[in-house]
């Protein structure tokens, strides 16, 4: 007799495993299927985020930043060290161990919530049946009341620079280099290009980033992008804008990358080339042709605002559906889908999803950029406060950057908050909460912030919106 569950989730990344846990919290019987295999050949839950994305990249960003600070900042603090050296083997072991602990933690969470965690391939068939092909064993048809598709995304490959797993690599391979490439090329100055470019640059690579667009960090506020460009340049990242890559010729020891930019046709020689030009939804063999699932023109599964597909009882969440490809966006969609399945009212506020780029300084924002507010025609005011005027930032020796707040002129509602500076990824949480509650800058102005703290910069920026900043001259 075939097994049946109230909910079957295909994919155990941050969208899928969270959906499975919430469904189990509602008392549903749940199975969560995942086929992820790590480079050691072992299956693991956690998806891209835990195995090859958010977590390993942040582990290396932290380690490499510590090395950089030890080499460049310690003497300013009056700390003398001997020669500070890189031990890449230990650094990579630490990264792998964090990944192992966290992915093992997901397996434990599934078990604790009585979720059937299944390693293998899941495929949606008509009638909410799921064909499950286990890693070893017989194919099985599992019946479900509800199905949640959470199959994630995979790196986009460039035809002219196809991945070869050695010299032309994707972001996952670039997280697992066992030696520091002397010269590293990166195609794409997006989030991955900047984060991984920073890691290897701090560890000693000479990094060149080739970005097709003329505008740097086009998705960020212009004031933030300007500061970021200066900071990265100072750190030695060579970012070439308007660079159209035309070929990548793999030689015995290096790759010759040809590109055209405003200076004409050029080429660089690198030891490794990371291609990070975006990710595409992963839906290969995820559903049968007659399952009723529709894809849009970019390959995303078509869903409504509540993540319902065209098939009753089948939801899709995370990177495989429209919206930003972010772990926290996927998790919240997973929670919403599971709550809706349980008959609860649930919705997701797509206007208030924070973005963070974990470089040094960090960049974080929520809501609209100034250009977007301007284009909307809404009258607005802005206020900003530099970390150079923050006592805490000075004590930390991290004074680059600022907080910028945009609010509407008529009712003072906060429309966007943009931070570049120390701990921006943590500081943005206050702005997210404020915007979730439709707060005004006056609400933040009247909120007491601890002294000395980085959060005071948020307070001062909100005061600056009304020319009331206390610790920095107003305009
Ligand atoms: P995924 O995490 O991709 O998980 C999908 C899972 O489904 C996979 O395990 C896959 O094996 C499985 N699967 C797919 N199809 C099937 C099938 N048919 N049967 C069985 N299993 C299947 N986001 C952030 O918010 N913050 C960050 O700091 C961040 N850093 C990143 C760094 C890098 C280098 C990369 C590549 C990404 C990063 N991201 C970050 C993006 C983040 O990883 C994704 O947005 C997130 O993982 C999406 O979650 P998901 O659950 O939708 O998909
Ligand atoms: P991205 O969309 O952030 O950046 C891709 C960049 O490549 C863009 O700037 C684009 O203009 C450029 N590009 C595209 N084609 C090109 C070409 N042929 N030549 C040169 N440049 C080209 O994508 P990504 O950096 O690959 O990241 C993928 C996804 O993963 C993103 O959606 C991101 O949200 C997510 N991610 C998030 C984090 C984080 O939250 N900190 C970290 C890493 C990845």
């Amino acid at each position: 007799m075939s097994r049946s569950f109230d909910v079957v989730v295909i994919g155990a990344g941050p969208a899928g495993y969270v959906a499975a846990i919430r469904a189990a919290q509602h008392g549903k019987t749940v199975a969560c299927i995942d086929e992820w295999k790590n480079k050691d050949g072992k299956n693991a839950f956690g998806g891209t985020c835990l195995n090859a994305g958010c977590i390993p990249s942040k582990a290396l960003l932290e380690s490499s930043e510590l090395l950089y600070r030890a080499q460049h900042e310690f003497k300013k603090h009056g700390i003398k060290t001997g020669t500070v050296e890189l031990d890449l083997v230990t650094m990579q072991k630490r990264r792998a161990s964090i990944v192992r602990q966290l992915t093992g933690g997901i397996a434990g969470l599934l078990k604790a919530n009585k979720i059937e965690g299944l390693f293998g391939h899941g495929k949606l068939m008509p009638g909410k049946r799921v064909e499950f092909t286990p890693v070893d064993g017989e194919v099985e048809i599992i019946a479900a009341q509800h199905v949640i598709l959470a199959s994630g995304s995979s790196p986009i490959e460039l035809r002219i620079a196809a991945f070869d797993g050695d010299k032309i690599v994707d972001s996952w391979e670039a997280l697992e280099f066992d030696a520091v490439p002397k010269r590293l090329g990166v195609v794409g100055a997006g989030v991955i290009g900047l984060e991984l470019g920073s890691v290897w640059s701090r560890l000693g690579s000479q990094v060149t980033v080739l970005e097709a667009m003329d505008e740097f960090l086009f998705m960020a506020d212009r004031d933030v992008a300007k500061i970021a460009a200066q900071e990265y340049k100072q750190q030695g990242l060579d970012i070439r804008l308007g660079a159209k890559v035309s070929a990548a010729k793999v030689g015995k020891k290096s790759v010759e990358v040809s590109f055209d930019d405003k200076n004409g046709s050029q080429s660089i020689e690198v030891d490794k080339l990371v291609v990070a030009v975006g990710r595409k939804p992963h839906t290969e063999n995820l559903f049968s042709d007659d399952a009723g699932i529709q894809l849009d023109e970019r390959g995303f599964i078509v869903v409504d605002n509540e993540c319902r597909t065209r098939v009753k009882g089948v939801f899709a969440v995370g990177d495989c559906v429209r919206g930003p490809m972010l772990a926290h966006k996927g998790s919240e969609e997973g929670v919403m889908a599971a709550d809706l399945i349980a008959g609860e009212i649930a919705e997701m506020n797509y206007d208030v999803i924070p973005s963070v780029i974990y470089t040094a300084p960090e960049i974080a924002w929520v809501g609209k950029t100034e250009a977007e507010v301007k284009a909307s025609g809404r009258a607005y005011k802005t206020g900003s406060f530099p970390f150079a005027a923050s006592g805490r930032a000075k004590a930390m020796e991290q004074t680059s950057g600022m907080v910028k707040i945009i609010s509407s002129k008529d009712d003072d509602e906060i429309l966007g908050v943009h931070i570049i500076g120390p701990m921006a990824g943590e500081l943005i949480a206050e702005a997210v909460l404020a915007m979730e509650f439709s707060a005004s800058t006056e609400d933040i102005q009247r909120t007491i912030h601890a002294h000395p703290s980085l959060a005071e910069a948020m307070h001062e920026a909100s005061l600056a919106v009304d020319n009331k900043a206390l610790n920095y001259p107003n305009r």
Side-chain angles (χ1 to χ4, degrees), residues 53-54 57-58 153 156 158 160 171 186-195 210-213 215 217-219 243-245 275-279 319 324-328 354-358:
C54 322
S57 61
K58 266 79 254 179
S153 61
I156 292 175
L158 288 181
I160 45 149
S171 54
V186 182
V187 186
V191 194
I192 293 182
L194 294 173
E195 289 188 354
L210 302 173
E211 166 59 47
M213 307 256 295
E215 198 172 37
L217 272 181
F218 66 93
M219 63 290 201
K244 313 273 184 292
V245 177
V275 176
V277 293
R279 296 176 62 85
D319 279 10
M325 287 183 165
L326 295 171
H328 42 285
S355 295
V356 182
I357 305 178
Y358 293 84

Side-chain angles (χ1 to χ4, degrees), residues 366-383:
V366 58
K368 291 189 164 61
T369 62
E370 185 170 348
E372 285 166 347
V373 175
K374 198 179 252 173
S376 75
R378 196 160 174 189
Y380 67 94
K381 42 189 184 166
T382 66

Side-chain angles (χ1 to χ4, degrees), residues 67 86 88 174 177 179-186 196-208 235-238 270-272 274:
L67 177 73
L86 168 66
L88 186 62
F177 288 155
V180 179
K182 203 156 172 265
R183 299 158 302 175
L184 179 71
V186 182
L196 289 185
S198 295
V199 165
W200 292 107
S201 158
R202 291 167 190 163
L203 298 184
S205 296
Q206 182 192 321
V207 178
T208 309
Q235 289 164 24
L237 279 184
D238 180 5
V270 294
D271 303 302
K272 299 266 186 195
V274 184

Side-chain angles (χ1 to χ4, degrees), residues 14-16 18-19 317-319 324 326-335 348:
V18 167
V317 295
D319 279 10
L326 295 171
H328 42 285
K329 173 263 191 185
S331 293
E332 281 311 308
E333 287 181 335
V335 166
M348 167 116 182

Side-chain angles (χ1 to χ4, degrees), residues 2-24:
S2 74
R3 289 190 276 182
S4 83
F5 292 87
D6 294 332
V7 181
V8 172
V9 184
I10 303 180
Y17 87 76
V18 167
I21 290 174
R22 175 51 63 91

